[in-house]
Every structure is written in structure tokens, then in C-alpha cells.
Amino acid sequence: MTGVLDFDELFYKHERVRWSPTRDLPPFSEIDRGKIDGDMVDGLVVLARTEFSSIPAILDLVRIFRHDADLTAWLSIWFAEEVRHHLLLRQWAEAAGRDAEGMVPELTRPELGDPPAMATLAVNVLGEVRTCRLYGAMAAACEEPVLAALLKKIAGDEGRHAQGFAHYARKLAAADPGTAVPVLLRVGQLWCDPDGGLADANPAAENYQEAETAEAMAELHRRWVDPEREARAVCSLFGDIAGLPISTPADFAILRKQVRA
């Protein structure tokens, strides 16, 4: 399908797999309380808080890409789905008997200036891939069937979000590879560096979260996500965006040196 905007096609890609909580999930009244894992419910609180940080994030994304109507249109899909994730996680927890207090955080919105467009897109690609892997791992381990179904649906959304951000990053890399690709590689190398600020937190939300929530997200990743499988997913997608052979985290540093040479 061809349209004036890339959004036209991306919209229908999302629409073809769009799911309804009332049609495609078991009702929360069917929660099996005997299979609820208290630690996983604690994790839902962290996830709900993280999803809510999409509110300050969308304000900055729309500002940064204010001259790109195509990308801004796609962000309307991303934002609506992220906020819905927060709502459903919170409502599942409430239906399971968990007090919702603490699941809606106080929002912060630091002045971030205008970071490079590729850095912004790459950080969001990275965050969505990592969040997709986290939801998927938790869904596979979850014994409570209603929650497992919800986590699996959200994981699918996050994977499509990663592909959406990657689509626009790929366009940027193709249009200006000399500027965009080095920035993409730098984000990848920072992700590999334990002290780089990206490895131990949800990079898509870390600017809008309290340090406590960011560290709790990092702990969820350490507990649930296979780092090697996550690394393969990140390297594959970043390599596709850059048009470069990225198969291991070490390749980011090697390719950065080659790009600068």
C-alpha cells in the first residue's frame, strides 16, 4: 500500500493486529488467585509506573520531531498504546487485590534541549526492544493465565513499537548516513557499557523516572531477561537500521572506529 505518509502503511500494520481487552483477553474476574506470584505483582507496579512515563516522553518526542508530521502521526499510536498498558496493568493488579497506591507516579519532565534526532530514535528503539523482551519473558514464566495473556499482548505491542521507531531511524540513516550512523553506533556502544547510563535502566524512560523506579526496572531485567538473546535482538535491529554487520555488542566499538577513520 502506498500513501502520502509512511504513517498510512504503519497504521494498518498496527490495525491488523490491534487487540481489545474486552474481546481478546479473559475478564479480570477470572483471575486465578491461587496462581498469583507476589514478586511478579511487585514487578507490575514497576511496569505500570514505567508505562505512565510515556506522558512526559510524548511531550518531548513531539517537540523534538515537531517538523516531521509523518513521525508525529505515528507517535499517536505509540502513545495511546503505552498509556493503555499502564491502565490494564494497574487494573489487573487492583482486580487481584493489590492496592493501586504507588502505581501512578508523580511525573517529571526535565529540560532535555534538542538531542540529535537519531539519538532519540535509537534510544527509543533500544528501550522498546528491551521492554518487549521483558514482557515476553515474564509472560512465559507467569502461571496466572489472565496476567500471562495480558503480558503477551503487551510484549507484541512493544515489539511493534520498536519496529516503528526503527522505521524512522532507518529513513534518517539512509538520508544522512555520515551524521546519523555514528550517532546510532554511539548509542549502541553506550548500551554495552555498564557505566554508560543505558545498560542498567530502561533507556526509553530513564529521563522521566525517579531513580528508584529506573533501578527497579533494571532489576526486573536482571531477573527475567536472557541477556544474550536480548543482545542478539538489539544488534540485529541496529545493524538493519545502519546497514552494517552488527552481530555482537563488541561490533559497536569496532564499527565506530571504522566510521571515524
Side-chain angles (χ1 to χ4, degrees):
M1 180 178 69
T2 302
V4 176
L5 302 176
D6 290 354
F7 165 76
D8 299 2
E9 184 171 353
L10 292 173
F11 171 82
Y12 285 105
K13 283 185 177 180
H14 283 265
E15 199 66 20
R16 282 192 290 270
V17 294
R18 187 169 305 285
W19 52 276
S20 165
T22 56
R23 184 188 65 233
D24 301 315
L25 291 176
F28 289 167
S29 60
E30 294 182 6
I31 290 173
D32 187 340
R33 292 175 177 269
K35 294 183 178 179
I36 293 175
D37 181 323
D39 289 341
M40 188 167 284
V41 176
D42 290 342
L44 293 195
V45 175
V46 178
L47 291 168
R49 292 177 69 85
T50 298
E51 296 285 5
F52 206 66
S53 68
S54 60
I55 294 175
I58 190 66
L59 298 176
D60 276 324
L61 286 167
V62 170
R63 178 180 58 80
I64 292 166
F65 295 103
R66 58 192 176 275
H67 302 301
D68 190 335
D70 192 345
L71 175 52
T72 301
W74 179 79
L75 287 171
S76 68
I77 297 175
W78 171 80
F79 178 54
E81 292 183 349
E82 296 286 15
V83 174
R84 185 171 75 154
H85 296 167
H86 163 83
L87 171 66
L88 295 173
L89 291 168
R90 175 163 50 81
Q91 290 186 331
W92 182 94
E94 290 177 312
R98 177 66 180 256
D99 192 329
E101 184 177 359
M103 299 186 76
V104 181
E106 292 292 331
L107 296 178
T108 60
R109 186 173 175 239
E111 292 299 325
L112 301 179
D114 282 322
M118 178 55 89
T120 302
L121 292 173
V123 163
N124 279 275
V125 169
L126 181 56
E128 299 291 346
V129 170
R130 299 189 72 222
T131 307
C132 172
R133 305 299 304 186
L134 176 58
Y135 277 114
M138 292 178 71
C142 183
E143 296 184 359
E144 200 293 299
V146 178
L147 179 57
L150 173 59
L151 293 173
K152 185 176 180 179
K153 290 291 189 184
I154 295 177
D157 285 348
E158 303 290 9
R160 286 182 287 276
H161 295 170
Q163 292 295 331
F165 280 114
H167 173 86
Y168 290 102
R170 196 178 298 111
K171 285 185 65 177
L172 191 59
D176 186 8
T179 300
V181 171
V183 174
L184 179 77
L185 295 174
R186 179 177 180 273
V187 171
Q189 189 174 7
L190 284 173
W191 162 66
C192 301
D193 180 0
D195 299 318
L198 292 178
D200 290 330
N202 180 345
E206 64 180 356
N207 290 320
Y208 311 107
Q209 291 178 322
E210 320 93 322
E212 181 180 353
T213 302
E215 176 53 37
M217 276 294 288
E219 181 57 36
L220 288 180
H221 275 276
R222 285 190 287 267
R223 175 172 180 180
W224 297 106
V225 177
D226 180 334
E228 293 185 1
R229 295 182 66 181
E230 178 180 89
R232 287 196 295 270
V234 171
C235 290
S236 175
L237 193 49
F238 271 51
D240 179 65
I241 293 168
L244 294 170
I246 303 174
S247 57
T248 70
D251 291 337
F252 288 110
I254 294 170
L255 290 169
R256 280 193 76 195
K257 291 179 181 178
Q258 293 176 357
V259 168
R260 288 197 298 261

